[in-house]
Amino acid sequence: SLSSDGIISGTPPIQQTITFTATVVDITGSSDDQQFTFAITEGWYCGDINASGSPDLDIADLVYLVDYMFNSGPPPPFLAAADLDGTGEIDIADLVLLVDYMFNSGPAPTCSQAVK
């Protein structure tokens, strides 16, 4: 929806790309058009390695990461959610960070937005 203040809001039902043209008109009647494109993608929580939809990290996330890294298990549905140290790579440092966070009150994960 579009509010009278120009705020676009809502919950998209599916992943999609939306393109629209916005027109502004000033008090003198001059106008300008601008095309916008939004890519709507699925959201994820940093550390939700098994994509359970929960922001709380648990043993299932840890098991999923270990299985992926050491047993050729399936990749995380959102690779960036497993890049717990934000370096852009999923490696042993991510596993160490997760264990430290879960069992030793270590620093919280700080995922990157893209994984190499």
Side-chain angles (χ1 to χ4, degrees), residues 38-99:
F38 293 102
I40 309 298
T41 60
E42 293 183 70
W44 50 269
Y45 293 106
C46 181
D48 184 17
I49 297 164
N50 65 347
S52 67
S54 173
D56 299 322
L57 306 184
D58 58 23
I59 198 71
D61 295 306
L62 178 60
V63 169
Y64 200 104
L65 184 59
V66 168
D67 188 44
Y68 170 65
M69 292 179 71
F70 300 108
N71 297 322
S72 300
F78 303 102
L79 288 175
D83 178 25
L84 302 172
D85 59 4
T87 62
E89 296 179 331
I90 299 172
D91 56 22
I92 195 70
D94 298 302
L95 181 58
V96 169
L97 189 147
L98 182 58
V99 169

